[in-house]
Amino acid sequence: MNYRWILGAALLAVGTGAALGAPAKDAAPSVLVTLTALHPGSLARTVSAYGVVQPGAAGQRAVMAPASQTVGAVYVRAGQAVAAGAPLLQLVPSPETGAAYAQARSAQQVARQLAARTQQLFAQHLATAQQLADAQKAASDARASLAALDAQGANGPSVLRAPFRAIVLRLSAAPGALVAAGTPLLVLARPEALVLKAGVTPAQAALIQSGESASIAVPGDAQPVAGRVVSRGAMIDPASGLVPVQIGVPADRLLPGQSAEATITVGQTHGYVVPHAALLVDDRGAPYVVQAKAGTARKVPVRVLGTQGDQDVIDGAGLNAGQPLVLSGNYQLDDGMHLRVAAQGAAK
């Protein structure tokens, strides 16, 4: 047996095993990340308010009975939209109004005849100028009284019509009802004068000014409606504990009684605008981001100044606008760890 060959093979095997089992030099740990540039910018500072669409006070009008009359017919119902000039209801003079009209017409005829007779006597020098003036004034007054009753519909059935395109908010008249002069019969609202009546906390109210823009979102409607602040109250509503805010809405987009949320833009928040994914929170609850410095990670404490959607506005003394921001993979990083860039956003 060739012992020399066996010994050589054994020594070779031992040597090879030692080489394979020898520990290699440790490589530095690295994390696969994506980067994006750090840009200064701003986001809108907003206040949210919830409320109900209602007619504004300036866009409402009450239709009242012009005289003591009886409701003959009602042509509309509450909640109905009517065109300008559309018939609302019919009024028939009450017996008292009819009698007053007959008396006024008789008085007007007598006064006219007396004025004519006095004119003749004045021409014959049998009446004074003062008597003629008194007779003419009496005739004028009688004519004005009759015209007023005519305008009130006292001379027969009359139809009240819508003075403008409107929504019938309330209807308090019924056929056959006897109504006195000045009795509200119905209330109309202009569709272009609707407002979202909402409420905000006193701290939020201090930020809101008339004329500021708002985005109005309605449940079930994906498209928001543009609006503008009409007024902001200066005292708290005791019923809700909130400060009332009215936001004008476009005509024919929302309906009275509809609930909505308004996002009011009250200014701009300036700083660095970053994706929300770039923002992290440490064990103490303090926010921070990770920036890439020469291929290594650098944690930077920040302040969150504002949020809108999936973006945040941040600020921090340690931020460097020339160093990209780590997005994916940032939660695995500690200071000084090496980075392997898989993809990159606006800058490297």
Side-chain angles (χ1 to χ4, degrees):
M1 181 177 294
N2 191 345
Y3 293 101
R4 181 178 298 177
W5 181 88
I6 296 175
L7 179 60
L11 291 174
L12 179 62
V14 172
T16 304
L20 292 175
K25 184 179 180 181
D26 291 338
S30 64
V31 176
L32 187 66
V33 299
T34 59
L35 305 178
T36 188
L38 181 64
H39 290 299
S42 64
L43 291 179
R45 187 165 67 251
T46 61
V47 170
S48 295
Y50 300 86
V52 178
V53 177
Q54 299 179 28
Q60 298 185 40
R61 179 183 294 186
V63 178
M64 296 178 287
S68 178
Q69 294 171 303
T70 300
V71 179
V74 178
Y75 304 120
V76 295
R77 62 184 182 276
Q80 180 178 344
V82 295
L88 302 174
L89 45 82
Q90 182 194 57
L91 296 176
V92 179
S94 66
E96 294 81 2
T97 301
Y101 181 79
Q103 292 173 359
R105 185 171 56 184
S106 176
Q108 192 259 355
Q109 184 177 0
V110 171
R112 186 174 64 244
Q113 292 173 351
L114 178 60
R117 177 59 179 164
T118 305
Q119 179 70 46
Q120 292 176 355
L121 293 175
F122 179 76
Q124 298 170 5
H125 303 287
L126 298 176
T128 65
Q130 183 61 49
Q131 288 173 326
L132 177 60
D134 291 344
Q136 290 175 338
K137 182 179 185 306
S140 177
D141 291 345
R143 186 167 58 252
S145 297
L146 185 63
L149 288 172
D150 273 332
Q152 295 172 1
N155 61 335
S158 60
V159 175
L160 296 182
R161 298 181 178 275
F164 46 76
R165 186 172 73 98
I167 300 170
V168 180
L169 289 184
R170 292 186 295 276
L171 179 64
S172 54
L178 181 63
V179 294
T183 301
L185 304 176
L186 45 79
V187 178
L188 303 177
R190 297 179 181 271
E192 60 273 15
L194 296 179
V195 297
L196 177 66
K197 293 187 177 181
V200 296
T201 64
Q204 292 174 321
L207 303 174
I208 299 174
Q209 301 294 329
S210 296
E212 289 178 329
S213 61
S215 177
I216 303 172
V218 178
D221 191 348
Q223 185 65 32
V225 176
R228 197 164 293 277
V229 176
V230 176
S231 66
R232 187 262 291 167
M235 62 181 294
I236 294 176
D237 181 1
S240 64
L242 301 174
V243 178
V245 176
Q246 293 192 11
I247 302 168
V249 301
D252 304 319
R253 292 295 303 273
L254 302 178
L255 301 176
Q258 200 166 13
S259 298
E261 175 188 1
T263 303
I264 306 168
T265 300
V266 296
Q268 296 288 322
T269 301
H270 300 277
Y272 290 102
V273 179
V274 302
H276 190 66
L279 197 62
L280 300 170
V281 178
D282 63 19
D283 296 338
R284 296 172 298 174
Y288 72 94
V289 296
V290 179
Q291 289 193 277
K293 178 183 180 182
T296 61
R298 186 175 72 92
K299 290 184 176 181
V300 184
V302 297
R303 293 181 303 140
V304 180
L305 305 180
T307 299
Q308 187 179 69
D310 60 352
Q311 291 185 308
D312 299 295
V313 178
I314 63 172
D315 190 18
L319 288 172
N320 187 330
Q323 296 175 359
L325 206 62
V326 180
L327 292 180
S328 63
N330 52 2
Y331 63 93
Q332 307 175 56
L333 296 172
D334 284 319
D335 281 328
M337 290 185 66
H338 290 276
L339 308 178
R340 290 181 291 117
V341 179
Q344 205 159 344
K348 296 184 178 180

